């Protein structure tokens, strides 16, 4: 074979390998990386810190405004009392003035005519007449002062009421801002808690994947040999899984087999048999969530386990299965039920397989 043909063959082989790899990875669902989750949680923490600072500032403004409103209410109340007092004073002065005028000019015991007759001379008369005039001028002046005072108090009361209304409007606006900000803080805290939970799971799953890569799978599973002569082998295909696959597989293994490592390995073998079979979906999530297959997916058990995070033994079993470990006794099984159902099959870890 000449060099040109060799180059063509090598190029074609490389292309086929690339296509095969791409095809093999199309069913793997992308999941947020630990780095992405850490950045998101860091951003949410910064947002939360900023919003809490804003909330503290709003609370101070609200307290200050409430103090002003309280003080302004006292001033408005005093202005109302002052206005009432001014009105009473004005009315009393006006009443007194009328009485004096009536006394002097409208039938009282003294009249201008009587003043004239009782005067000893013109100088005496003019003095008495000036006294009457002075009384009238005094009444007019005092009445003008009382009216002016009342108008000023009324104007002050109106201004205070306007300030009070403005402060009340400001208080309402601050309360609304505080309520909206509190809701935003609550939502952000909830998101932060969710991302922290995701980050915890992602880190646990990545740790499990690192352990799977670094450990000798056959050596690890060999320690978990079947008590009834089952045993494990590294006869399965390795699965190119992401952290979501590891977490989901560990969760369903814990739900279906409890804490028994051998039972989890058996259930994992069935799941991987289905993934590799053309009769079932070719992804872990597709197999686990296939309608009517795994009860924990619809009775809430799987969500509860995923919510708190699967156990370390479940992660260990999951990464072993993904690394190619299989339970020999159920190597060719595709179904299982709980042993108490009495169904015929191979009994492993509380389940019967067939």
């Amino acid at each position: 074979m000449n060099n040109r043909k060799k180059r063509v063959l090598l190029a074609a082989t490389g292309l086929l390998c690339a296509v095969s790899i791409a095809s093999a990875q199309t069913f793997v669902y992308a999941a947020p990386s630990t780095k992405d989750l850490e950045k998101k949680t860091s951003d949410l923490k910064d947002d939360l810190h900023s919003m809490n600072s804003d909330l503290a500032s709003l609370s101070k403004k609200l307290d200050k405004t409430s103090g002003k409103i309280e003080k302004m209410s006292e001033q408005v109340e005093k202005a109302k009392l002052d206005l009432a007092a001014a009105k009473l004073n004005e009315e009393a002065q006006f009443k007194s003035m009328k009485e004096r005028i009536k006394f002097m000019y409208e039938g009282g015991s003294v009249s201008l005519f009587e003043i004239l007759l009782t005067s000893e001379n013109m100088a005496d008369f003019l003095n008495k007449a000036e006294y009457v005039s002075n009384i009238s001028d005094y009444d007019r002046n005092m009445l003008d002062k009382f009216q002016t005072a009342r108008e000023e108090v009324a104007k002050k009361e109106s201004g205070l009421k306007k300030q009070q209304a403005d402060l009340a409007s400001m208080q309402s606006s601050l309360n609304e801002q505080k309520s909206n900000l509190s809701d935003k803080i609550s939502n952000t805290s909830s998101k932060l808690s969710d991302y922290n939970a995701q980050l915890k799971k992602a880190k646990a799953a990545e740790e499990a994947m690192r352990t799977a890569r670094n450990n000798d799978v056959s050596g690890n599973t060999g320690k978990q040999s079947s008590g009834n002569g089952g045993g494990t082998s590294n006869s399965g295909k390795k699965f190119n899984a992401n952290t979501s696959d590891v977490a989901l597989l560990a969760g369903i293994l814990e739900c279906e087999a409890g804490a028994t490592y051998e039972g989890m390995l058996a259930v994992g073998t069935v799941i991987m048999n289905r993934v590799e079979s053309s009769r079932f979906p070719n992804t872990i999530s597709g197999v686990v969530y296939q309608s009517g297959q795994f009860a924990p997916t619809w009775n809430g058990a799987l969500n509860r386990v995923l919510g708190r995070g699967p156990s370390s033994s479940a992660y260990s079993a999951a990464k072993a299965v993904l690394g190619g470990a299989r339970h020999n006794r159920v190597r060719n099984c595709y179904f299982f039920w709980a042993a108490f159902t009495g169904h015929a099959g191979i009994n492993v870890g509380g389940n019967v397989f067939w």
Side-chain angles (χ1 to χ4, degrees):
M1 180 181 297
N2 58 37
N3 291 333
R4 184 175 180 279
K5 289 183 178 180
K6 285 182 180 180
R7 287 196 298 271
V8 172
L9 181 59
L10 288 173
T13 303
L15 180 59
L16 287 174
C17 290
V19 171
S20 298
I21 291 171
S23 299
Q25 292 181 341
T26 55
F27 58 83
V28 179
Y29 295 102
S33 66
T34 303
K35 186 177 180 180
D36 291 338
L37 291 172
E38 287 177 341
K39 184 179 185 305
K40 190 64 177 178
T41 54
S42 177
D43 291 343
L44 286 174
K45 286 179 181 178
D46 291 341
D47 291 344
L48 199 57
H49 177 74
S50 177
M51 285 187 286
N52 279 320
S53 297
D54 292 342
L55 182 62
S57 177
L58 276 177
S59 297
K60 288 181 180 179
K61 289 182 181 178
L62 193 56
D63 291 341
K64 189 175 181 180
T65 302
S66 298
K68 287 183 178 179
I69 290 176
E70 185 176 353
K71 186 176 181 180
M72 191 64 65
S73 297
E74 294 175 357
Q75 292 177 356
V76 170
E77 187 62 27
K78 185 177 184 303
K80 288 180 179 178
L81 294 174
D82 290 345
L83 182 60
K87 287 180 179 178
L88 289 174
N89 203 0
E90 178 189 327
E91 290 171 0
Q93 178 66 17
F94 182 64
K95 183 178 180 180
S96 297
M97 183 186 69
K98 288 194 299 183
E99 291 295 329
R100 283 194 293 272
I101 292 173
K102 180 180 180 181
F103 176 78
M104 290 186 296
Y105 298 111
E106 297 179 1
S109 60
V110 180
S111 66
L112 287 175
F113 182 71
E114 290 175 334
I115 291 174
L116 178 62
L117 292 177
T118 57
S119 300
E120 295 179 0
N121 50 46
M122 181 61 68
D124 185 28
F125 172 77
L126 291 175
N127 287 334
K128 290 179 179 179
E130 183 180 3
Y131 170 74
V132 172
S133 176
N134 287 338
I135 291 176
S136 179
D137 290 340
Y138 169 80
D139 285 329
R140 282 196 298 269
N141 290 335
M142 290 303 297
L143 187 59
D144 288 342
K145 289 181 179 179
F146 291 138
Q147 288 176 335
T148 301
R150 190 181 71 169
E151 290 173 358
E152 289 178 352
V153 172
K155 185 177 180 181
K156 181 180 180 181
E157 181 190 23
S158 177
L160 290 173
K161 284 184 176 179
K162 185 178 184 305
Q163 293 181 50
Q164 188 181 33
D166 291 341
L167 287 172
S169 177
M170 183 185 298
Q171 184 184 43
S172 177
S173 176
L174 288 172
N175 276 322
E176 184 178 359
Q177 292 178 51
K178 183 178 179 181
S179 177
N180 293 336
L181 189 56
S182 295
D183 291 341
K184 192 173 181 180
I185 288 174
S186 177
N187 291 334
T188 303
S189 297
S190 179
K191 288 180 180 179
L192 180 59
S193 177
D194 179 58
Y195 276 105
N196 277 329
Q198 291 185 47
L199 180 59
K200 181 180 178 181
K201 293 177 188 177
K203 286 183 176 179
E206 287 184 356
E207 180 61 28
M209 290 297 292
R210 282 193 293 270
T211 303
R213 295 189 189 103
N214 296 333
N215 292 342
D216 182 0
V217 177
S218 61
N220 291 339
T221 57
K223 296 176 183 179
Q224 306 288 342
S225 59
S226 172
N228 52 13
T232 61
S233 66
N234 213 29
S235 59
K237 295 180 181 179
K238 290 186 178 181
F239 187 82
N240 186 14
N242 57 29
T243 54
S244 295
D245 292 325
V246 177
L248 178 60
L249 183 57
I252 196 65
L253 293 184
E254 182 175 335
C255 289
E256 294 289 8
T260 309
Y261 184 89
E262 184 182 17
M264 287 190 284
L265 195 62
V267 172
T269 299
V270 168
I271 290 175
M272 297 312 297
N273 286 346
R274 290 190 179 192
V275 171
E276 294 167 5
S277 171
S278 60
R279 295 184 296 165
F280 298 93
N282 64 347
T283 64
I284 292 175
S285 61
V287 167
V288 171
Y289 288 110
Q290 187 175 12
S291 177
Q293 296 302 304
F294 293 92
T297 62
W298 68 76
N299 63 18
L302 179 58
N303 286 339
R304 287 192 292 273
V305 170
L306 293 176
R308 60 170 168 75
S311 65
S312 57
S313 58
Y315 276 126
S316 179
K319 56 93 176 175
V321 170
L322 291 169
R326 301 290 184 268
H327 196 289
N328 287 333
R329 296 186 63 205
V330 299
R331 186 64 183 85
N332 298 315
C333 296
Y334 292 89
F335 303 93
F336 67 90
W337 277 1
F340 64 78
T341 61
H343 193 282
I346 302 169
N347 194 324
V348 179
N351 290 314
V352 288
F353 299 80
W354 71 94

